[in-house]
Amino acid sequence: MSETEPGAAKQRWALKIEYDGAGFVGWQRQANGLSVQEVLEAAAAKLEGAPVASIVAGRTDAGVHAAAQIAHIDLARPIAAPSLIAALNFHMQPHAVAVLQAVAVGPDFSARFSAIGRCYRYDILNRPARPALSLGRVWHVKRPLDAAAMQEAARHLLGKHDFSSFRAASCQAKSPLRTLDRLDIQRNGDILSIVAEARSFLHHQVRNMAGTLVKVGLGEWPPRRVRDILEAADRRAAGPTAPAEGLTLTAVRYSVDPFADGESGGDSSERRSASGETL
Amino acid sequence: MSETEPGAAKQRWALKIEYDGAGFVGWQRQANGLSVQEVLEAAAAKLEGAPVASIVAGRTDAGVHAAAQIAHIDLARPIAAPSLIAALNFHMQPHAVAVLQAVAVGPDFSARFSAIGRCYRYDILNRPARPALSLGRVWHVKRPLDAAAMQEAARHLLGKHDFSSFRAASCQAKSPLRTLDRLDIQRNGDILSIVAEARSFLHHQVRNMAGTLVKVGLGEWPPRRVRDILEAADRRAAGPTAPAEGLTLTAVRYSVDPFADGESGGDSSERRSASGETL
């Protein structure tokens, strides 16, 4: 890397990333299979000519998708945003991972610790027939779901609670307290979606809430029971963990959104080349 | 098939079918690979205990998807709609084909000849980054498309015209005259969709119109040129054939829609079992 001056300060890059979770062991590197992190870091290392570490906003589980995951990496190699995007996407082929935007940010920005909100969408295909076009992207629930009952149940989960009943045994968070800012049920044809937003979630929290809301939607549990489940603070009180393939990380929020202004090289490499070419 | 009385009149069934075109040689049976028709007919034959032939509304090409393809089959075996759907979907596993609805119709109904309209949607992923979540469902066009210019160009194609310029050499239609009822450009985030509706289309007509509209959207051709292309009545005058994977058959119209009333066993086998159980 003759262009890289030894000891020069590295540039931090915020990356917006889309991926299909199928075929990955999740975001995080693991010995038992390919992770999204490994694919991204390998591509960045090829560009940098040296190992590159990434920090991510949402460590999605195996099979979970992302429409707008955020990660950051530090690169010594000078590069324009559109070129960085193109190079990473080239090197990540043929994997179903794509960098959508890249923005040069200051060293204080952390994709993980600067994040003030995570948004997830859980999609359920609610019809008798199994999925064809939505295969691998939905939980297939054959019997009709009562969206109004699910929305009523969801209201009990809003706000700050001890979410122990919705927490995986493997969860490493220090506290089971979380503040749920949004939990909406939306129906679009055969697809029923659960939209959840919080500063952060416990491990499996969204999938465990989805499994519980489906119990309500099927009429097996009254909406009011969700309050009892919360109060029990016991994982055995809640419903099953919904399958990973229905879950998508849709957005990460920052108090100052690095992708909000026109500095991104991603939205349109043509229109924004003037700003994208300078760091 | 002890339940089937020899010589008994067969029941005609209209089927609404969803499939992912990837991995199929198209709807129609071919020697060189697996077709959707073959998957459906093999499943129906298992149920019937005898060969079953299907007639389809839209003979989609290799790689083209369907959200609501319509076909009909004739079965001697008495069966309720929800059971028919479940049996076909069971036997069609693991292929990405699903029967969504089944309705008992009269012998005069033909999925193909009773159809008075076909609707297709052509999806373009319009951003620099390659597709991850939409992989196999879109045509990836990196440079920004001018949707307004494309819509202006599309207006020239509306109505009855000689569509020879948009017709594949392999097209077997007797006449190149077609009446285009709708050609709309819609943008939803990174996805730009072309929505086309006509009584029927020539072979590759939608994909050839898409290839031409993209030329306009990229600014390579002015919208007015589409009128010249039409008048040339020469395939070489128009743009390239857009890739199959961006195309989805979204609806088939009938003057009397067999799926319009509550008789279908598909929308909800639970709620409609009373009507669905009787032929």
Side-chain angles (χ1 to χ4, degrees), chain A residues 62-76:
Chain A
V64 174
H65 317 292
Q69 172 72 280
I70 309 295
H72 78 251
I73 55 173
D74 296 329
L75 298 179

Side-chain angles (χ1 to χ4, degrees), chain B residues 194-263:
Chain B
I194 301 169
V195 178
E197 191 167 341
R199 185 178 183 94
S200 66
F201 290 95
L202 299 168
H203 193 207
H204 284 182
Q205 185 182 343
V206 179
R207 290 164 60 190
N208 290 340
M209 292 192 301
T212 299
L213 291 176
V214 162
K215 284 274 194 189
V216 173
L218 291 171
E220 295 176 23
W221 292 351
R224 177 66 174 72
R225 176 151 168 179
V226 170
R227 207 156 122 187
D228 303 333
I229 291 169
L230 257 186
E231 283 166 10
D234 181 342
R235 179 68 192 94
R236 292 165 297 181
T241 306
E245 60 191 16
L247 188 60
T248 302
L249 173 61
T250 56
V252 181
R253 307 216 189 280
Y254 297 92
S255 52
V256 180
D257 182 0
F259 301 98
D261 63 20
E263 295 302 310

Side-chain angles (χ1 to χ4, degrees), chain A residues 18 127 130 132-133 137, chain B residues 18 89 127 130 132-133 137:
Chain A
E18 174 186 295
R127 69 181 189 196
R130 61 185 172 77
L133 281 172
R137 300 290 169 77
Chain B
E18 175 185 292
N89 286 338
R127 69 181 190 196
R130 60 186 174 74
L133 281 172
R137 300 290 167 77

Side-chain angles (χ1 to χ4, degrees), chain B residues 82-262:
Chain B
S83 305
L84 175 58
I85 294 169
L88 290 175
N89 286 338
F90 176 78
H91 289 306
M92 292 195 298
Q93 283 177 303
H95 304 293
V97 185
V99 171
L100 308 185
Q101 293 178 260
V103 176
V105 293
D108 292 343
F109 175 84
S110 165
R112 180 175 178 192
F113 296 106
S114 305
I116 56 167
R118 275 95 175 163
C119 311
Y120 285 89
R121 193 185 70 238
Y122 195 92
D123 291 329
I124 297 164
L125 181 69
N126 187 34
R127 69 181 190 196
R130 60 186 174 74
L133 281 172
S134 56
L135 196 66
R137 300 290 167 77
V138 294
W139 179 18
H140 182 208
V141 175
K142 296 184 180 191
R143 287 184 291 144
L145 291 167
D146 180 342
M150 292 170 73
Q151 186 65 68
E152 190 186 335
R155 279 194 297 106
H156 296 298
L157 297 171
L158 284 178
K160 188 173 183 179
H161 301 284
D162 176 336
F163 280 98
S164 292
S165 296
F166 299 92
R167 175 185 194 170
S170 57
C171 184
Q172 290 168 15
K174 284 175 190 160
S175 162
L177 289 174
R178 288 293 183 276
T179 302
L180 190 59
D181 298 312
R182 184 183 178 197
L183 193 60
D184 287 340
I185 315 298
Q186 301 171 341
R187 188 182 275 283
N188 184 10
D190 288 338
I191 303 281
L192 187 142
S193 300
I194 301 169
V195 178
E197 191 167 341
R199 185 178 183 94
S200 66
F201 290 95
L202 299 168
H203 193 207
H204 284 182
Q205 185 182 343
V206 179
R207 290 164 60 190
N208 290 340
M209 292 192 301
T212 299
L213 291 176
V214 162
K215 284 274 194 189
V216 173
L218 291 171
E220 295 176 23
W221 292 351
R224 177 66 174 72
R225 176 151 168 179
V226 170
R227 207 156 122 187
D228 303 333
I229 291 169
L230 257 186
E231 283 166 10
D234 181 342
R235 179 68 192 94
R236 292 165 297 181
T241 306
E245 60 191 16
L247 188 60
T248 302
L249 173 61
T250 56
V252 181
R253 307 216 189 280
Y254 297 92
S255 52
V256 180
D257 182 0
F259 301 98
D261 63 20

